[in-house]
Amino acid sequence: MLMKKLSNVHWMGHLLALAILAAVALAGVTGWADALYTLSGNEMETKLNESAQAIVPQLIDVSTGVKGEDVMLDEGMMVTVLHNGTTMRVTAQEESIAQLLARMAVIPSPIEMVGVEKFADHVMLTISDCLTTYEQVTELAPHTTTYLQTPDLLVGTQRIVQPGKDGIRTAIYEQTWMAGEVISRQFVEELSTTAEPAIVEEGTSVNSVSADDRMIGVKYNEDGSGYLTFASGATMRFKEAKTMTATAYTATDKGVNNITATGTAVRQGVAAVDKKVIPLGTQMYVVAKNAEYGMARAEDTGVKGNKIDLYYGTYQECINFGRRSATVYILDD
């Protein structure tokens, strides 16, 4: 019988005396006095030892998952036994767990197990055909990889900040036992590890966004540059932000035709500017008050000063837009 000591006190005494004392002690507490062994002499000692030996393989340490390991109990230690929905409490004599159960005539069935949970001043025994144990193990730990969304990099590109390093970890696993066998095992918690994660930056910066994407944030640097963040997760870098007066025009306006000053066709996304303020060809993102115009390119002229004229496809859209204050983000080339 595999045995583990909880104290330095050795097993002594006669089983006959223990059984008689147990019968007296438990009669008023559990009502089990009639079920206790009332044999005498060597016959009783043999019977108890045989029962205890049969119980040992069914003992399972719930903290380590070790099976078939008996434990010596201190004289006077409190023991709680849970079985078939009944809770029993008994004071241990100087005996093993298997001997205590045999003394109580609590014999697990062939498909039942005894979950042993040890505390500083008491022991909990759970007898069931299904037990959950928690095992602490030390094992190899492959490194993980952490990805950081980075607006300074173009989308689709990566930059390694820290290479990963495999290591050793201490972890807790949950095990489910049935009929004495582990039927499932799953990771619960990592207590410590020497592994170091790889850190990789992933670019989110784009040169343009779709017409239905919308800006959800802006980040400024000290020099006035920064980047825009969009609902899609994309970011867009800008060199500076200008506060301008925005108006709208269309091809049917007086003096306007279908060709811009740079020779391109008028369309949504074309902006007329004063080329002394914004050079022709400049890529922009325009957010007017209560109207996000979006991507725009300076391809037309016809305005003077700190103004921008935004192309719309219909006269009614131009009327609806009217004149508004706008922030014009001058995008990186």
Side-chain angles (χ1 to χ4, degrees), residues 248-282:
Y249 77 107
T250 188
T252 59
D253 288 349
K254 184 178 180 180
V256 177
N257 56 44
N258 292 325
I259 303 299
T260 68
T262 56
T264 61
V266 291
R267 65 197 181 281
Q268 184 85 11
V270 167
V273 298
D274 183 338
K275 60 184 179 181
K276 293 180 181 179
V277 178
I278 296 179
L280 292 176
T282 299

Side-chain angles (χ1 to χ4, degrees), residues 74-94:
D74 288 341
E75 178 80 24
M77 178 172 281
M78 293 304 301
V79 180
T80 301
V81 182
L82 306 177
H83 188 212
N84 291 333
T86 300
T87 300
M88 296 165 280
R89 292 181 176 85
V90 62
T91 301
Q93 298 162 11
E94 193 173 356

Side-chain angles (χ1 to χ4, degrees), residues 99-121:
Q99 289 166 335
L100 178 141
L101 291 175
R103 176 168 63 86
M104 295 176 65
V106 178
I107 310 299
S109 73
I111 65 170
E112 287 182 320
M113 301 153 292
V114 181
V116 180
E117 191 169 5
K118 300 182 290 290
F119 301 94
D121 58 350

Side-chain angles (χ1 to χ4, degrees), residues 13-26:
H14 299 288
L15 290 173
L16 176 59
L18 294 177
I20 294 172
L21 289 173
V24 173
L26 292 174

